[in-house]
Amino acid sequence: MIPKVRKAVFPAAGLGTRFLPATKAQPKEMLPLVDKPLIQYAVEEAKQSGIQNIIIVTGRNKSSIEDHFDVSYELEHELRKKDKTDLLRIVQEISDLIDVAYVRQKEALGLGHAVLRARELVGPEPFAVVLSDDVIDSEVPCLRQLLDVYEYFGASVVALMEVPEASIPAYGIVAAEPVEHNGTNDRVYRIRNLVEKPKPEQAPSRLAIIGRYVLTPEIFASIEAIGPGAIGEIQLTDALRHLLRSRPIYGYRFEGRRYDAGDKLGFLQATVEYALRREDLGAPFRQYLKSLDL
Ligand code: UTP
C-alpha cells in the first residue's frame, strides 16, 4: 500500500532579498495579494488538497506568521463588540483552518536545509513541500494534481513548468522523459537528472521545477549527504539528484497559471489579476485600469 501524504512543510525562512525593503522586517510569505498573505493562499491550497497538518519553517521575523494563524482574542472581541460579523468570520476562519506546527531555521542556509529542519515533525512518512511565493491559480489545486501522481507511482513528484530560454538560469531544470499516464504522455515525466540554475546552453530542457513537491522520507538522508552548493546553500535540487541514485522521481507539468510572487513584477501581475477576479473589487478596479493613459 502506498502511504498517504498527511503533512506539508512550508519553508518561510528565506531572506527575500528580491523584495527588499518590504522584507526587511517581515517574511515575504506575509506580503498580501489583494488582502490575504501569500502563505494563506498556499495553506488553503494544501487543505483543499487533503493535507491535515502544516509545518511552517520560520526564520527571523517569524512572529507575524505565527500571529496570523493564531487566535486573536483582542481583535475578535473588538469585531464582536462592533457587530462586524463578516470580518469576525474571516478572522476566525484563519485560526480554524488547519493544525499548524512551527520549526526554526536559525540561518538561511538554503531550501534543502530548511526542509531538513522539519524532519522530526514529519517523521518517517511521505510529505509535501509548498513554497508560498509560487502562487498557482488552477481549477484543481496544484498540490492535489501532484498528489494524484504520487498516489499512482508511490514515488517523489515535483511540479514542472516550461519556461522561456532566457529564464532558465533562475530555476532548477530537469532532464526527463515523458511517461504515459491516464491515456496521455504530455504531463508526467520520469526524471533522469536535475541541474540547479544552469546556463541556457547547458540546460537539459526548458522544464523548470516550481515550488510544489511531494517527497518520500528518504529525501532527508539525501539532504544530509550533500554539502553546500555553489553559493554556500544546501539546495533541495542537489538532494533530489542524490535521491535519484536510489529512487525514481517523477515530474508533473501541472495545469494552471503560476505567478512568481517573490519577484516584484510577478507579484504585481498576480495582484492585478487576483483583484480583477474579485467580486467586490473587480468591476471598479477594471474601470480604474481602463481610465489610465497607458
Ligand atoms: P528563494 O529561492 O525564493 O529565496 O526561496 P529567498 O531567499 O527567500 O528570496 P530571494 O531570492 O533572496 O529574494 C524559496 C523558498 O524557500 C524558502 C523561502 O522562504 C522561500 O519560500 N527558504 C529559502 C528557506 O526557508 N530557507 C532558506 O534558507 C532559503
Side-chain angles (χ1 to χ4, degrees), residues 174-242:
V174 299
E177 54 203 44
V179 172
E180 197 171 316
H181 181 61
N182 282 346
T184 60
N185 66 352
D186 71 337
R187 293 223 171 257
V188 178
Y189 292 83
R190 175 88 186 250
I191 292 183
R192 297 296 176 194
N193 196 10
L194 311 94
V195 199
E196 181 67 16
K197 300 187 169 68
K199 294 197 179 105
E201 59 276 16
Q202 283 160 359
S205 76
R206 289 205 287 127
L207 287 172
I209 305 170
I210 300 305
R212 302 287 184 277
Y213 310 74
V214 177
L215 301 173
T216 55
E218 297 82 23
I219 191 70
F220 293 124
S222 288
I223 300 172
E224 263 182 341
I226 58 158
I231 49 167
E233 291 190 349
I234 298 179
Q235 302 286 2
L236 188 58
T237 310
D238 293 339
L240 286 165
R241 193 179 327 103
H242 183 276

Side-chain angles (χ1 to χ4, degrees), residues 40-49 136 141-143 212:
Q40 192 182 333
Y41 286 92
V43 167
E44 286 172 359
E45 177 188 325
K47 188 177 176 184
Q48 284 158 13
S49 301
I136 300 175
C142 182
L143 185 55
R212 302 287 184 277

Side-chain angles (χ1 to χ4, degrees), residues 11-19 28-29 105 108-111 114 131 133 262:
L15 297 178
T17 51
R18 285 172 295 156
F19 232 116
K28 71 175 159 192
E29 287 75 9
Q105 185 192 24
L109 296 177
L111 176 58
L131 306 188
D133 53 343

Side-chain angles (χ1 to χ4, degrees), residues 86-155:
D86 281 1
L87 291 176
L88 180 64
R89 190 177 40 81
I90 289 173
V91 165
Q92 284 174 330
E93 271 172 10
I94 304 168
S95 49
D96 291 343
L97 204 56
I98 199 162
D99 182 38
V100 187
Y102 297 91
V103 64
R104 193 82 196 262
Q105 185 192 24
K106 286 196 197 127
E107 247 186 295
L109 296 177
L111 176 58
H113 182 263
V115 171
L116 187 60
R117 297 290 301 127
R119 185 181 203 164
E120 293 220 343
L121 289 171
V122 170
E125 55 181 285
F127 63 103
V129 173
V130 179
L131 306 188
S132 313
D133 53 343
D134 275 335
V135 174
I136 300 175
D137 177 40
S138 57
E139 219 165 283
V140 176
C142 182
L143 185 55
R144 185 64 251 163
Q145 298 179 36
L146 255 57
L147 286 167
D148 288 343
V149 179
Y150 162 79
E151 283 163 13
Y152 184 83
F153 292 103

Side-chain angles (χ1 to χ4, degrees), residues 49-109:
S49 301
I51 294 292
Q52 295 158 17
N53 299 84
I54 299 285
I55 298 155
I56 302 180
V57 184
T58 58
R60 52 195 183 108
N61 309 322
K62 60 171 186 163
S63 57
S64 55
I65 296 183
E66 294 194 6
D67 290 346
H68 185 72
F69 290 105
D70 206 351
V71 179
S72 177
Y73 294 106
E74 261 175 292
L75 180 61
E76 288 185 19
H77 177 72
E78 282 303 310
L79 294 174
R80 210 172 279 121
K81 216 166 69 185
K82 292 184 178 145
D83 224 13
K84 299 199 166 169
T85 44
D86 281 1
L87 291 176
L88 180 64
R89 190 177 40 81
I90 289 173
V91 165
Q92 284 174 330
E93 271 172 10
I94 304 168
S95 49
D96 291 343
L97 204 56
I98 199 162
D99 182 38
V100 187
Y102 297 91
V103 64
R104 193 82 196 262
Q105 185 192 24
K106 286 196 197 127
E107 247 186 295
L109 296 177

